[in-house]
Amino acid sequence: MLLVVLEHDRGTLGEPAREALTFGRTLAAKMGVEMHALAIGAGAPATEQVAAASGDHGAARLYTVDHDLLSDFGPEAWGQSLVQVINTLQPGAVLACGSERGNEVMAQAAARLDWPFVANCTDIIPPAGGGGQWSMTRIQWGGSLLEDATLTTGTALLTCGLHTVASAPVEPAPVAPPETQAVAVELDAALARTVVKDRVVLEAGVTLPTAPVVVGGGRGVGSAEGFAPLEELAELLGGRVGCSRAVTNNGWRPHSDQVGQTGTRIAPEIYIASGISGAIQHWVGAMGSKHILAINIDPEANMVVKANWAVIGDLHQVIPAISAEIRRRRDRP
Amino acid sequence: MRVLCCVKRVPAPGAKINVTADGLAVDAAHLGFTTSPHEECGVEEAVQIAERTGGEVTVLTLGPAEAAEQLRYAASVGAHLGVLVSTDGAAWDPQRTARALTAAIESLEAGSGAFDLILFGNESADSGGFQVGVRVAYALGRPIVNGIKGIEVDGPVVRARREIDGGFEVYEMDLPAALGVKEGINLPRYPTMRGRLASKKLEITTLVLDAAGGDQALVRLHRPTETVSQTVILGDGPDAAPAAVDVLEELGLV
Ligand SMILES: Cc1cc2nc3c(=O)[nH]c(=O)nc-3n(C[C@H](O)[C@H](O)[C@H](O)COP(=O)(O)OP(=O)(O)OC[C@H]3O[C@@H](n4cnc5c(N)ncnc54)[C@H](O)[C@@H]3O)c2cc1C
């Protein structure tokens, strides 16, 4: 059996859980086994919704684990729960989505079991005929590079790279939700030490990962003040300003605006990338954009070469001209 | 307070990452090296905590002899002690790395007591295994939370913030503890001239220790297939604005 660990926040199933189930379906088929799902601490009220969603995405059975320490996320308590479920159910492999929480919980379980754990796979080939060696392709450098690897283990602990697959329900939809079964765990009270203590909600509205338009600025913007015209254009288009690491390193913008391997991955309808050379670590954060318009003085810049459209010139002149043209067209009767 | 920060030396590629002919490493023949970005911020955070609490920062790296460069860099921005677990430079799997780091930390702590706080990068920039910090912390019996973008030490307690969509979660742990930090937690300072000079004098403790290999093996590195785009040049300078706005209009944004 392939066990898929569902990511949820206090009972609300997230997109990573659906991705893991979608990826897991293919893997379970390759293994020739059923796919079962595990909800750690989702709480009784949520079970129905979680069961329905896991069934819709191909899980034949849902296991639930409930415990006082699991009323909110805690990496150690989740990891310890997963270890006990693995010991009880003896799955052939365990898969989660390689989100921040997914990788962390798998690492916690792997540490406790002293088993290997392979993070962020894009393709997994189970051993032929049951035991033996797994093969996989996994993400290095935030997606700029791929690694083919092998894994020799009993039960494989794996995550699939975030957004490696788009989540999709099975068709036709299952007639009934999967059978649900509770698994008992015993947890050391000390694990409360890493359970979420508090939460702070900051911003509502358009965030960088979900913005339909991102106006990006790089070193070419030259200063913090230089971003004012980018802000203006972003506002006109209902989008957000993004930036490169050269910009955050200079203290011109907060790190929350940074696009790239160590920043945010964006997926807008259009990314207007100005004064950005397009280094590979920036590109992996930008490549999810549906369209790219580059503005750069250098026609050979990597960002220009990879863009759909480009304007060659000084962003300090081009961006205000674009804003002015948008206003002119909007004001036209 | 005594803070330990574990860092990794990684190449700093530009527009493309090239792989060596045997497929086992990034071709770094023409590249500089740097500290993996999350850990660079880890060092800065450790130094800030030590400055606030009058403490000491130790930086630990596992890598080839050249990784001393990253320890010296850390010293140039305020770290006090550097420890190198020296390897042949080949990529070690996550279990082996974690076992060696655990042994190194145990031997350091046997001499001078437990570190109050151990910082790791959330994941290394190159191999990105997402597990070494968690394995080491577990082996040492310390709590650890990853994804940390804010740390506040308050006497015997550390409060840590983790970014989530539209806000953050707060964790609170008794020291000693460990945290996996992410870039953005701070803006690392640049070395001063004085710092650079001091870093030259840094005495590096070299530990030679091996650890049992894990069960994950690297076969081959390769670049993902690239999408080739036929870039349409809309024009030069501000005169191209109408053509650019035509594009935006086509996408329904104007
Ligand atoms: C491990 C690692 C992780 C990294 N993670 C990230 C990351 O998450 N995000 C990220 O962005 N980077 C990241 N980097 C850094 C990355 O390698 C580049 O250094 C960085 O992206 C460069 O930023 P830039 O394009 O703004 O600057 P540059 O590369 O200096 O490019 C500036 C560009 O602006 C153009 N320009 C200059 N003036 C003008 C003007 N007036 N008008 C128009 N164009 C102009 C130039 O032609 C040039 O193309 C990482 C690096 C490493 C080693």
Side-chain angles (χ1 to χ4, degrees):
Chain A
M1 176 261 288
L2 168 70
L3 184 67
V4 172
V5 183
L6 302 176
E7 177 167 337
H8 65 85
D9 192 56
R10 289 157 292 164
T12 306
L13 214 58
E15 189 54 20
R18 293 183 170 83
E19 285 183 16
L21 289 165
T22 306
F23 189 98
R25 242 158 43 213
T26 314
L27 178 58
K30 283 193 232 172
M31 293 168 68
V33 297
E34 278 193 349
M35 176 170 76
H36 295 178
L38 169 67
I40 298 173
T47 304
E48 222 167 282
Q49 178 246 333
V50 171
S54 8
D56 286 348
H57 288 77
R61 187 183 283 242
L62 172 69
Y63 300 100
T64 60
V65 173
D66 282 304
H67 190 284
D68 286 351
L69 282 185
L70 300 171
S71 57
D72 204 336
F73 178 68
E76 292 184 298
W78 278 48
Q80 183 60 35
S81 301
L82 178 55
V83 166
Q84 293 182 24
V85 172
I86 290 171
N87 287 336
T88 307
L89 302 176
Q90 308 273 328
V94 183
L95 176 79
C97 180
S99 59
E100 199 162 79
R101 281 187 180 184
N103 280 329
E104 185 179 32
V105 170
M106 292 299 271
Q108 279 285 349
R112 282 151 209 276
L113 293 160
D114 199 19
W115 288 358
F117 154 48
V118 186
N120 298 333
C121 300
T122 57
D123 188 27
I124 301 172
I125 303 165
Q133 200 172 61
W134 294 71
S135 306
M136 60 269 300
T137 301
R138 61 177 298 272
I139 292 169
Q140 283 209 4
W141 287 96
S144 313
L145 206 59
L146 295 173
E147 170 190 354
D148 293 340
T150 57
L151 171 69
T152 316
T153 185
T155 299
L157 305 181
L158 308 157
T159 59
C160 54
L162 188 64
H163 306 329
T164 293
V165 293
S167 75
V170 281
E171 284 187 46
V175 283
E179 197 185 314
T180 303
Q181 185 181 326
V183 182
V185 295
E186 275 173 40
L187 299 176
D188 181 347
L191 297 187
R193 64 193 185 177
T194 50
V195 174
V196 174
K197 185 103 183 163
D198 202 2
R199 258 190 196 78
V200 179
V201 178
L202 285 181
E203 53 184 323
V206 206
T207 60
L208 197 52
T210 58
V213 175
V214 175
V215 181
R219 196 191 305 278
V221 177
S223 65
E225 302 73 50
F227 274 88
L230 279 71
E231 289 278 6
E232 187 192 356
L233 178 57
E235 179 128 341
L236 277 172
L237 296 171
R240 282 282 308 259
V241 166
C243 69
S244 72
R245 186 160 177 250
V247 168
T248 45
N249 271 351
N250 277 308
W252 299 341
R253 303 287 302 183
H255 186 270
S256 49
D257 286 355
Q258 183 177 313
V259 172
Q261 182 181 342
T262 50
T264 299
R265 274 132 218 259
I266 57 171
E269 192 58 37
I270 188 164
Y271 179 37
I272 303 176
S274 67
I276 297 177
S277 63
I280 188 80
Q281 303 89 353
H282 185 82
W283 177 252
V284 292
M287 66 187 182
S289 308
K290 294 198 187 64
H291 303 95
I292 294 178
L293 165 61
I295 302 171
N296 203 304
I297 44 175
D298 175 10
E300 315 266 287
N302 200 40
M303 192 53 103
V304 171
V305 174
K306 284 185 165 161
N308 302 86
W309 305 282
V311 173
I312 307 306
D314 184 351
L315 70 95
H316 299 101
Q317 294 169 5
V318 176
I319 293 210
I322 292 176
S323 294
E325 177 67 13
I326 293 172
R327 280 213 191 79
R328 198 182 63 76
R329 292 195 195 182
R330 283 187 183 162
D331 291 346
R332 213 165 32 193
Chain B
M1 233 182 104
R2 294 176 61 241
V3 188
L4 174 72
C5 184
C6 295
V7 307
K8 185 171 184 184
R9 169 184 169 90
V10 298
K16 256 198 181 119
I17 303 185
N18 293 312
V19 174
T20 53
D22 64 5
L24 294 179
V26 168
D27 183 357
H30 305 290
L31 296 179
F33 283 80
T34 184
T35 305
S36 182
H38 296 320
E39 291 108 88
E40 190 182 341
C41 293
V43 171
E44 173 65 30
E45 196 65 22
V47 170
Q48 287 185 16
I49 292 169
E51 283 169 350
R52 282 197 298 269
T53 61
E56 185 181 72
V57 175
T58 305
V59 178
L60 168 63
T61 190
L62 180 145
E66 292 80 7
E69 183 189 339
Q70 278 58 52
L71 296 177
R72 290 199 191 281
Y73 186 83
S76 76
V77 292
H80 305 94
L81 302 164
V83 182
L84 171 71
V85 177
S86 96
T87 69
D88 55 1
W92 282 19
D93 69 75
Q95 286 168 290
R96 186 177 179 193
T97 304
R99 285 170 188 151
L101 287 176
T102 303
I105 296 171
E106 278 169 347
S107 92
L108 295 172
E109 293 192 333
S112 40
F115 292 101
D116 299 293
L117 186 63
I118 304 180
L119 301 181
F120 296 92
N122 194 69
E123 85 280 357
S124 61
D126 53 354
S127 51
F130 285 83
Q131 55 191 283
V132 166
V134 172
R135 285 184 191 274
V136 173
Y138 178 73
L140 295 169
R142 317 270 156 96
I144 184 165
V145 178
N146 270 349
I148 297 306
K149 282 205 169 174
I151 298 176
E152 196 187 304
V153 177
D154 188 359
V157 171
V158 59
R159 260 185 292 280
R161 289 169 166 212
R162 174 177 185 145
E163 205 172 38
I164 48 170
D165 232 3
F168 52 87
E169 295 166 345
V170 182
Y171 295 84
E172 199 175 283
M173 281 164 273
D174 289 339
L175 299 172
L179 295 167
V181 303
K182 288 182 84 167
E183 184 180 80
I185 188 172
N186 55 41
L187 185 58
R189 70 193 72 183
Y190 288 103
T192 58
M193 188 53 88
R194 223 176 104 219
R196 276 213 193 91
L197 288 174
S199 75
K200 294 213 172 89
K201 290 191 214 115
L202 175 76
E203 256 184 63
I204 293 172
T205 308
T206 303
L207 301 177
V208 182
L209 45 90
D210 204 350
D215 312 295
Q216 178 187 333
L218 166 66
V219 176
R220 183 178 74 102
L221 297 171
H222 53 100
R223 280 209 300 261
T225 39
E226 270 177 59
T227 40
V228 194
S229 168
Q230 285 298 332
T231 311
V232 177
I233 304 290
L234 299 173
D236 286 326
D239 294 346
V245 178
D246 286 346
V247 162
L248 298 173
E249 210 160 42
E250 261 170 55
L251 296 176
L253 295 164
V254 176

